[in-house]
Amino acid sequence: MPDAVRTAAVRAVLIMSLTIIQAMVAFLSTLTGSWLAFPMVLSSVASTVVATWAVLDVWVTRQVWNQRHGVVSEPSSTARQMRRQRRRAQRAARAAERDEAGGRIRGRRNAGDHSRTGDLSRTGDLSRTGDLSRTGDLSRA
């Protein structure tokens, strides 16, 4: 909270607390029938107006501050910056991993693709490899 808004808020809280105390004194003096009851009721009404003005002052001061200085949200901008740094580090780590293991991944992909490599022993079609004894088809031998 900016200093101007904080000052207005503290002032409003003090005025409201004094108004509540004054209203309680007015109520209790009215119950007892004291001569102080009438002046306290009048001053409580005036204090209520001042307390309302103090609360409005906090609201107006906050609006003026936001209009002049913009909404300052340091924690969220800091968190946003940290997220950006973390994402950059993750991207860099993935890129380094990709560069480091790039050839091996492609080789693995090609080795697993049986139609390109000619390695038919993995597909189960051993009749073309020349090892006919394992397939059970001995008529071609």
Side-chain angles (χ1 to χ4, degrees), residues 94-126:
R94 281 190 302 239
E97 183 180 325
R98 201 172 25 238
D99 291 343
E100 176 185 308
R104 285 188 290 162
I105 291 174
R106 279 189 213 103
R108 227 183 288 149
R109 187 181 308 143
N110 288 341
D113 189 4
H114 303 297
S115 62
R116 291 187 192 173
T117 60
D119 183 13
L120 299 174
S121 62
R122 287 185 154 177
T123 63
D125 187 12
L126 297 175

Side-chain angles (χ1 to χ4, degrees), residues 39-113:
M40 287 302 291
V41 168
L42 289 179
S43 65
S44 292
V45 171
S47 292
T48 302
V49 171
V50 172
T52 305
W53 180 259
V55 171
L56 284 175
D57 181 46
V58 173
W59 182 72
V60 169
T61 305
R62 184 175 164 268
Q63 294 298 325
V64 168
W65 176 268
N66 285 339
Q67 189 173 15
R68 286 184 184 164
H69 302 285
V71 178
V72 180
S73 58
E74 301 257 342
S76 65
S77 64
T78 303
R80 194 175 305 121
Q81 184 180 9
M82 289 175 63
R83 278 195 307 267
R84 282 185 193 138
Q85 289 174 352
R86 200 173 330 133
R87 279 194 300 253
R88 283 185 196 131
Q90 287 173 349
R91 277 191 224 116
R94 281 190 302 239
E97 183 180 325
R98 201 172 25 238
D99 291 343
E100 176 185 308
R104 285 188 290 162
I105 291 174
R106 279 189 213 103
R108 227 183 288 149
R109 187 181 308 143
N110 288 341
D113 189 4

